[in-house]
C-alpha cells in the first residue's frame, strides 16, 4: 500500500500510484484534533504529553496527543487511568467553542476543493472529488488532497491524514494507514489483496458483539468474510450482513452526502444510588427510550441501530449496540432491543449511569414498516 | 484404537461433520470430533449442543476404540495431505494423545476422553417418514429467504414444517413448509409422504436449515425424517443430522394469507424482475420502496430517492381492475419473484394497505405473501 514518501525534488511528501487519477473519494481525518489545536495555541506544550478532557472525579479523556498515546493514553479512557499511564501529562479541559471554530475553518478549505463533502464529526469528513464536484477539473484528486493537507497545515495550523480510494469504506481505511500527517491510497487493483488479511474489527460498524458472532462462525479476516455467501452473513448478523458482503469485496455504494442531520440521538441519566438490578435498569431504560423516540419523531427521522451505554461503579463504560431489523421511531421497539441488551450485560455488577441512543439515522419513511402479524 | 483410512474418505466425512463445530466455544470438548472405530467402520460425530451430525464410513480398523480430537485442526491437517494418501490414526498408549501419520508426516494431537462427548441423538421419534432429497431441498429453497433474523421473534427464526390437509373437508394431504419475517411469507407444500400424517408442527432453526441444505447438496437421493416433540432427525445416506427444534409457537399464518384479493395482475416474471432491478438502482439502499401503479393493462414502476433522483419504467401486464397504487420493498419483490418458476407471475392485490399474494401462473404449490410499504 503506497503511503507518503519524501519527494526528492521539493522535499515535500509525495505519493505514487498508478490509479491515482481514477480515485475520487477521500476521507480526511484531523490528527488528535483537540490536542493539536491546543498545542497550536500554546507552543510551550509542543514537546509535552497533552490530554484534553475534564480532570478529576468522573472525567474521561476526550483526546490524547500522540506523545500521550505512546504511554497508552486513549480517548474515552477515565482520566485517572490515563494519568496513571502518563503521570506527567498536561491536562486541559476541552474548549468546544474553539474547536468548532477551527473545524469551520477546515471545512471552508474542504469547500475550496469540492462542493460535496460529508462531515462525520468536527474532525473528520468524506470528500467527493468526482469531476462534477471539484472546482478545478485540471487537477487530479490526489493533487487536490495533497494541496488541501498543505493548506490546512499552513492556514489552520493542524495536521490531517488523508485516505484516497474509490469509495467511502476504503477511503476511511486508507486514512488510518499512515497517521499522523499521512496520505494513503487504495486502488481498485490492490483492494482485494489489501483487505484479505485485515481483521474484521477494522470494519467501521463491526463492534465487539458482531466480531464475536462472526468469529464464532470462523470468520476472522475480511478474506474469510469474502469466502462466505451473503445469505450466510445475513443469517449471522442480520441485515448488516449485506453491507459486510459488499465491504469484503471492496464495494460500498454509500454516497457522499452533505444533507445530513445529527449522527445519533441519545439520552442518559446517572443513578442516585448505583444499581445492578435488571428490573430497575429496565424501568429507567424504558423512560430513556421514550425520550429518544420523542426526539426521533420531533426531528422526523428514525434510528437503525440501538445503543445501550452503561457505566460501572468503577467507571468502566460498556456500550452494546444492536442493529434493528428495520429503522424505528417507536419507544417500544427500542426498549424491546434494549431489554435484551440489558439482559446480556447485567450480571450483578453495579452501574452508576445508563444511556440509550440510536445511530444509523434514517428518514421517517423507512421507519416501522407495517407487519403481517400486527 | 488404531485404523487406516484413505485421505479422500476421511476428508469427505470431516467436511460434512465439522461445519457444525463452533470455532470458539466455552466447553472444550465441543471443539472436538468424536471418532469411534469398530469392525470395519469409522463413525464421526460432531455437535454444538443444538445439532449433531454423525457419519459412518468404512475404514481398515486394527483395534476398536474411541477418541476425540480438535475437529477443525484435524480437518485442516487432512486437507493438506496429498491426494490418495493412506492415513493412520492411533491412540498413543496410555496417554490422552492421538497420533496421525501419513507418508513422512506425523502429527501428535491433544485428545479429550470420548466418554465426555455429549450425546444429543437419544430419544424416541414419534413420527418417521421418507422424502425424496430434491423434494426436501425444494421445501427449503423456496422458503428459507423469508426466515426472520429478528432475535426478539425467535419463533420466526426457522422454517415451520407441518402436515396439512387430509381432513374431512377433502383437502389433499400435504407436507407444508412456511417461513416469515412479518413482512413477507413463503408457503410451499408437497404431497404428504406416507407416515407424516398427524406429525406435530415443528420449527427447524435457521442454522439447521442451512446445514441440512449443505448436506443435501452432496447427499443421497432419499431422506428419512424422524420427528419428536423436541427434535428432528434427517438421515441422508450415511449421514445423520439431528437438531433441537425451536421451542415456540409459530403464529397462525393462515389468517394473513389473503383470501378475497380480487384485483389480479399477470406479468412476465422475467420482465418484472429486470424492471424492478433497474428502477431500484436509484435507491441508495436496496431496502427502498418501489411504487407499482396499475392501470388498464399497464404497470408503472417508480422509485424516488430524495438524495439520488428518481426512476420510472412502464411494462405491459394483464390487468383489468380499477387503478391502484401500492408500494413494496424492492428487495422483497426480487426475493419472491426469483423464487417463481413459470414464465408468468400472478399478483393478487386488494388495496395499498393490505397484504398481496404472489404465485406462479401454472403452479399453486408455492405461494408468497408480501406486506406493502407506505409510499
Amino acid at each position: 500500500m503506497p503511503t507518503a514518501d519524501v519527494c526528492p525534488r521539493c522535499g515535500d511528501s509525495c505519493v505514487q500510484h498508478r490509479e491515482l487519477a481514477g480515485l475520487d473519494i477521500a476521507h480526511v481525518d484531523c490528527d488528535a484534533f483537540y490536542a493539536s489545536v491546543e498545542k497550536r495555541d500554546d507552543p510551550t506544550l509542543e514537546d509535552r504529553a497533552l490530554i484534553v478532557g475534564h480532570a478529576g472525579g468522573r472525567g474521561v479523556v476526550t483526546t490524547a496527543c500522540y506523545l500521550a498515546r505512546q504511554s497508552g493514553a486513549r480517548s474515552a479512557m477515565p482520566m485517572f487511568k490515563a494519568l496513571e499511564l502518563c503521570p506527567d501529562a498536561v491536562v486541559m479541559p476541552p474548549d468546544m467553542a474553539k474547536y468548532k471554530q477551527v473545524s469551520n475553518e477546515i471545512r471552508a478549505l474542504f469547500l475550496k476543493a469540492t462542493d460535496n463533502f460529508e462531515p462525520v464529526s468536527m474532525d473528520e469528513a468524506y470528500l467527493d472529488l468526482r469531476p462534477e464536484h471539484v472546482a478545478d477539473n485540471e487537477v487530479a484528486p490526489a493533487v487536490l488532497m495533497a494541496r488541501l493537507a498543505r493548506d490546512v497545515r499552513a492556514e489552520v495550523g493542524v495536521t490531517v491524514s488523508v485516505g484516497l480510494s474509490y469509495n467511502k469504506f476504503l477511503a476511511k481505511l486508507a486514512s488510518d494507514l499512515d497517521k499522523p500527517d499521512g496520505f494513503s491510497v487504495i486502488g481498485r487493483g490492490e483492494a482485494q489483496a489489501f483487505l484479505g488479511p485485515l481483521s474484521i474489527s477494522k470494519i467501521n460498524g463491526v463492534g465487539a458483539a458482531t466480531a464475536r458472532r462472526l468469529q464464532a462462525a470462523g470468520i476472522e479476516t475480511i478474506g474469510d468474510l469474502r469466502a462466505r455467501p451473503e445469505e450466510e452473513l445475513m443469517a449471522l448478523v442480520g441485515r448488516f450482513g449485506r453491507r459486510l458482503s459488499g465491504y469484503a469485496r471492496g464495494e460500498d455504494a454509500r454516497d457522499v452526502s452533505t444533507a445530513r442531520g445529527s449522527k445519533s440521538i441519545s439520552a442518559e441519566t446517572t443513578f442516585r444510588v448505583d444499581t445492578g438490578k435488571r428490573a430497575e435498569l429496565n424501568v429507567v431504560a424504558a423512560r430513556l427510550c421514550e425520550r429518544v423516540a420523542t426526539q426521533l419523531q420531533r426531528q422526523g427521522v428514525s434510528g437503525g441501530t440501538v445503543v445501550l451505554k452503561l457505566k460501572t461503579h468503577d467507571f468502566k463504560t460498556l456500550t452494546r449496540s444492536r442493529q434493528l431489523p428495520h429503522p424505528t421511531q417507536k419507544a417500544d421497539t427500542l426498549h424491546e432491543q434494549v431489554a435484551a441488551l440489558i439482559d446480556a450485560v447485567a450480571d450483578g455488577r453495579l452501574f452508576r449511569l445508563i444511556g440509550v441512543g440510536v445511530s444509523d439515522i434514517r428518514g421517517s419513511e423507512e421507519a416501522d414498516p407495517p407487519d403481517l402479524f400486527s | 484404537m488404531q485404523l487406516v483410512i484413505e485421505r479422500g474418505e476421511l476428508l469427505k466425512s470431516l467436511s460434512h461433520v465439522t461445519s457444525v463445530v463452533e470455532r470458539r466455544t466455552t466447553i472444550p470438548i465441543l471443539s472436538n470430533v468424536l471418532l469411534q472405530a469398530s469392525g470395519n467402520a469409522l463413525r464421526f460425530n460432531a455437535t454444538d449442543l443444538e445439532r449433531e451430525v454423525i457419519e459412518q464410513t468404512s475404514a481398515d480398523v486394527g483395534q476398536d476404540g474411541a477418541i476425540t480430537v480438535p475437529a477443525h485442526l484435524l480437518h485442516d491437517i487432512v486437507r493438506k495431505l496429498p491426494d490418495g494418501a493412506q492415513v493412520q490414526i492411533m491412540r498413543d498408549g496410555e496417554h490422552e494423545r492421538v497420533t496421525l501419520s501419513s507418508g513422512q508426516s506425523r502429527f501428535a494431537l491433544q485428545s479429550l476422553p470420548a466418554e465426555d462427548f455429549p450425546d444429543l441423538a437419544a430419544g424416541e421419534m414419534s413420527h418417521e417418514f421418507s422424502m425424496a432429497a430434491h423434494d426436501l431441498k425444494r421445501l427449503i429453497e423456496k422458503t428459507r429467504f423469508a426466515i426472520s433474523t429478528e432475535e426478539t421473534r425467535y419463533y420466526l427464526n426457522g422454517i415451520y414444517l407441518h402436515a396439512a390437509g387430509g381432513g374431512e373437508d377433502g383437502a389433499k394431504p400435504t407436507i407444508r413448509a412456511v417461513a416469515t419475517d412479518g413482512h413477507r411469507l413463503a408457503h410451499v407444500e408437497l404431497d404428504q409422504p406416507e407416515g407424516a400424517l398427524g406429525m406435530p408442527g415443528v420449527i427447524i432453526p435457521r442454522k439447521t436449515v442451512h446445514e441440512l441444505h449443505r448436506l443435501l447438496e452432496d447427499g443421497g437421493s432419499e431422506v428419512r425424517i424422524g420427528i419428536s416433540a423436541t427434535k428432528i432427525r434427517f438421515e441422508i445416506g450415511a449421514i445423520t443430522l439431528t437438531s433441537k427444534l425451536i421451542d415456540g409457537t409459530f403464529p397462525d399464518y393462515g389468517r394473513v394469507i389473503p383470501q378475497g384479493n380480487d384485483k389480479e395482475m399477470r406479468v412476465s416474471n422475467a420482465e418484472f424482475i429486470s424492471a424492478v432491478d433497474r428502477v431500484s438502482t436509484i435507491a441508495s439502499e436496496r431496502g427502498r420502496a418501489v411504487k407499482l401503479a396499475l392501470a388498464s393493462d399497464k404497470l408503472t414502476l417508480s422509485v424516488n430517492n430524495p438524495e439520488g433522483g428518481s426512476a420510472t419504467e412502464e411494462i405491459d401486464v394483464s390487468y383489468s381492475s380499477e387503478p391502484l397504487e401500492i408500494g413494496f420493498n424492492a428487495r422483497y419483490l426480487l426475493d419472491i419473484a426469483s423464487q417463481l418458476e413459470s414464465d408468468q407471475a400472478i399478483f393478487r392485490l386488494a388495496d395499498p394497505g393490505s397484504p398481496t399474494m404472489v404465485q406462479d401462473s401454472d403452479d399453486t404449490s408455492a405461494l408468497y405473501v408480501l406486506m406493502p410499504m407506505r409510499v
Side-chain angles (χ1 to χ4, degrees):
Chain A
M1 215 56 33
T3 51
D5 270 324
V6 174
C7 169
R9 270 183 299 174
C10 61
D12 221 340
S13 54
C14 80
V15 155
Q16 293 184 340
H17 193 281
R18 99 186 97 86
E19 290 176 36
L20 269 185
L23 303 175
D24 47 22
I25 304 292
H27 180 253
V28 177
D29 198 3
C30 298
D31 305 317
F33 183 53
Y34 302 168
S36 304
V37 172
E38 296 300 349
K39 288 197 175 192
R40 175 194 75 170
D41 294 348
D42 182 355
T44 63
L45 292 172
E46 165 132 23
D47 298 321
R48 302 197 56 185
L50 172 65
I51 294 176
V52 178
H54 290 286
R58 307 194 150 182
V60 293
V61 176
T62 314
T63 308
C65 77
Y66 281 86
L67 280 174
R69 287 186 200 188
Q70 280 173 11
S71 313
R74 291 281 179 276
S75 354
M77 189 180 264
M79 187 59 83
F80 70 85
K81 203 173 156 198
L83 288 174
E84 274 171 26
L85 292 165
C86 189
D88 41 356
V90 178
V91 177
M92 292 184 77
D95 180 350
M96 299 314 278
K98 177 159 80 179
Y99 308 145
K100 184 79 209 158
Q101 164 79 31
V102 178
S103 170
N104 286 339
E105 289 169 25
I106 297 174
R107 285 181 192 177
L109 293 174
F110 289 166
L111 206 52
K112 278 167 92 177
T114 170
D115 66 1
N116 187 28
F117 67 90
E118 176 183 327
V120 180
S121 61
M122 271 207 261
D123 59 350
E124 192 187 338
Y126 292 100
L127 277 66
D128 183 347
L129 305 172
R130 287 176 296 181
E132 61 268 35
H133 291 293
V134 300
D136 185 353
N137 268 328
E138 299 296 300
V139 183
V143 176
L144 270 177
M145 287 302 94
R147 286 185 191 164
L148 172 71
R150 190 190 61 200
D151 292 350
V152 171
R153 190 170 36 195
E155 293 177 30
V156 184
V158 299
T159 61
V160 295
S161 291
V162 179
L164 184 64
S165 190
Y166 55 94
N167 63 38
K168 287 166 77 173
F169 168 61
L170 291 168
K172 176 150 174 94
L173 281 177
S175 72
D176 202 36
L177 285 178
D178 186 29
K179 268 184 152 305
D181 199 10
F183 195 124
S184 300
V185 178
I186 299 176
R188 288 180 177 79
E190 71 232 2
Q192 304 287 332
F194 165 71
L195 288 172
L198 280 193
S199 159
I200 46 169
S201 59
K202 286 275 179 191
I203 299 175
N204 205 9
V206 174
T210 308
R212 259 201 311 280
R213 218 174 296 170
L214 291 170
Q215 282 159 349
I219 302 172
E220 303 275 353
T221 65
I222 298 184
D224 296 341
L225 206 56
R226 197 184 300 145
R228 307 296 178 97
E230 179 179 292
E231 191 168 286
E232 187 185 338
L233 298 179
M234 299 219 10
L236 281 169
V237 300
R239 205 178 45 169
F240 186 48
R242 186 166 294 148
R243 200 183 283 176
L244 277 181
S245 176
Y247 284 173
R249 297 187 302 270
E251 293 165 12
D252 178 6
R254 290 174 303 160
D255 286 324
V256 175
S257 88
T258 340
R260 202 187 158 103
S262 50
K263 215 185 150 212
S264 66
I265 291 173
S266 62
E268 61 180 49
T269 185
T270 307
F271 296 112
R272 221 163 293 151
V273 182
D274 293 356
T275 180
K277 293 203 181 87
R278 281 179 192 169
E280 287 180 17
L281 294 169
N282 265 311
V283 169
V284 180
R287 218 165 50 223
L288 295 173
C289 288
E290 291 286 351
R291 271 164 59 188
V292 172
T294 307
Q295 273 305 316
L296 287 167
Q297 287 154 23
R298 196 171 291 161
Q299 299 185 21
V301 293
S302 61
T305 300
V306 53
V307 183
L308 169 71
K309 172 176 158 187
L310 287 164
K311 198 175 276 183
T312 62
H313 68 101
D314 54 351
F315 300 102
K316 287 198 192 83
T317 302
L318 310 173
T319 52
R320 296 286 182 273
S321 68
R322 192 180 264 202
Q323 189 168 27
L324 296 165
H326 297 278
T328 189
Q329 292 185 316
K330 288 187 185 159
D332 289 353
T333 309
L334 290 173
H335 188 236
E336 208 171 73
Q337 304 288 340
V338 168
L341 292 171
I342 288 177
D343 217 37
V345 92
D347 53 4
R349 276 181 287 192
L350 292 177
F351 299 105
R352 62 197 310 270
L353 174 148
I354 183 170
V356 169
V358 294
S359 58
D360 186 12
I361 301 290
R362 317 283 194 89
S364 61
E365 69 285 354
E366 289 179 65
D368 306 302
D371 193 287
L372 285 166
F373 296 99
S374 57
Chain B
M1 182 180 106
Q2 187 274 336
L3 64 93
V4 175
I5 182 169
E6 196 268 323
R7 180 243 182 202
E9 283 291 305
L10 183 56
L11 185 62
K12 190 175 81 185
S13 297
L14 282 173
S15 55
H16 288 152
V17 304
T18 44
S19 74
V20 303
V21 179
E22 301 265 8
R23 293 266 174 184
R24 266 149 223 265
T25 158
T26 46
I27 308 171
I29 201 155
L30 293 184
S31 306
N32 283 15
V33 55
L34 171 66
L35 303 179
Q36 292 167 295
S38 75
N40 288 320
L42 176 59
R43 187 171 179 268
F44 300 76
N45 185 339
T47 180
D48 64 0
L49 294 184
E50 288 297 311
R51 61 204 62 95
E52 170 194 77
V53 182
I54 294 176
E55 179 161 359
Q56 190 148 319
T57 185
S58 55
D60 191 357
V61 178
Q63 191 193 356
D64 291 2
I67 53 161
T68 81
V69 284
H72 289 291
L73 184 62
L74 180 62
H75 189 215
D76 287 345
I77 291 172
V78 174
R79 216 169 35 199
K80 290 176 183 175
L81 293 175
D83 233 4
Q86 292 293 314
V87 184
Q88 178 182 252
I89 299 175
M90 69 182 290
R91 170 132 157 219
D92 209 4
E94 294 299 298
H95 305 290
E96 286 299 339
R97 235 170 202 291
V98 170
T99 315
L100 180 150
S101 47
S102 177
Q104 303 297 313
S105 316
R106 208 179 136 82
F107 299 86
L109 302 176
Q110 286 296 347
S111 149
L112 289 168
E115 310 83 77
D116 295 350
F117 199 83
D119 179 15
L120 192 75
E124 279 292 300
M125 295 292 161
S126 66
H127 289 75
E128 291 198 62
F129 54 93
S130 295
M131 278 181 84
H134 64 85
D135 281 346
L136 182 57
K137 230 171 130 187
R138 177 180 157 86
L139 290 179
I140 293 173
E141 285 171 352
K142 297 266 155 206
T143 51
R144 64 172 172 174
F145 72 91
I147 298 175
S148 170
T149 52
E150 225 174 304
E151 284 165 38
T152 44
R153 293 163 103 179
Y154 63 94
Y155 49 85
L156 298 183
N157 293 171
I159 292 178
Y160 182 51
L161 185 72
H162 59 297
E168 282 165 10
D169 60 354
K172 190 174 70 164
T174 60
I175 186 160
R176 193 181 284 169
V178 180
T180 179
D181 61 4
H183 308 286
R184 59 252 174 93
L185 176 141
H187 174 290
V188 183
E189 57 190 355
L190 294 169
D191 287 346
Q192 196 174 83
E194 207 174 317
L197 186 68
M199 69 173 258
V202 295
I203 310 171
I204 309 169
R206 182 177 55 228
K207 211 172 156 195
T208 303
V209 168
H210 290 306
E211 204 61 51
L212 174 62
H213 188 260
R214 218 175 49 82
L215 294 173
L216 287 170
E217 294 274 283
D218 49 327
S221 57
E222 183 93 348
V223 183
R224 181 112 191 112
I225 302 174
I227 291 175
S228 74
T230 56
K231 292 197 185 87
I232 189 160
R233 188 180 66 212
F234 303 92
E235 291 169 54
I236 312 156
I239 309 168
T240 306
L241 165 66
T242 308
S243 170
K244 288 187 184 165
L245 296 163
I246 292 178
D247 183 13
T249 308
F250 201 80
D252 174 16
Y253 63 86
R255 70 186 168 86
V256 305
I257 296 177
Q259 302 300 331
N261 285 7
D262 55 354
K263 302 186 176 67
E264 185 184 287
M265 169 183 85
R266 286 171 178 264
V267 59
S268 148
N269 195 35
E271 264 181 59
F272 182 75
I273 289 178
S274 354
V276 172
D277 190 30
R278 268 193 295 272
V279 293
S280 60
T281 321
I282 202 85
S284 61
E285 288 202 24
R286 282 196 279 181
R288 285 290 170 89
V290 177
K291 189 165 81 178
L292 277 61
L294 275 159
S296 171
D297 287 344
K298 200 171 76 187
L299 167 66
T300 310
L301 296 154
S302 61
V303 171
N304 187 19
N305 174 3
E307 289 147 33
S310 63
T312 59
E313 179 159 346
E314 222 177 80
I315 49 181
D316 292 336
V317 298
S318 143
Y319 182 79
S320 53
S321 304
E322 62 203 76
L324 174 72
E325 284 194 358
I326 188 167
F328 295 107
N329 179 313
R331 176 74 193 186
Y332 294 172
L333 272 181
L334 289 175
D335 278 347
I336 287 177
S338 57
Q339 297 304 324
L340 301 180
E341 286 162 358
S342 52
D343 297 341
Q344 208 175 44
I346 304 180
F347 284 69
R348 291 182 210 284
L349 308 114
D351 59 69
S354 307
T356 290
M357 189 159 106
V358 187
Q359 270 185 300
D360 271 313
S361 62
D362 55 8
D363 174 14
T364 52
S365 71
L367 72 85
Y368 305 93
V369 179
L370 186 53
M371 192 70 195
M373 283 173 89
R374 296 176 292 258
V375 281

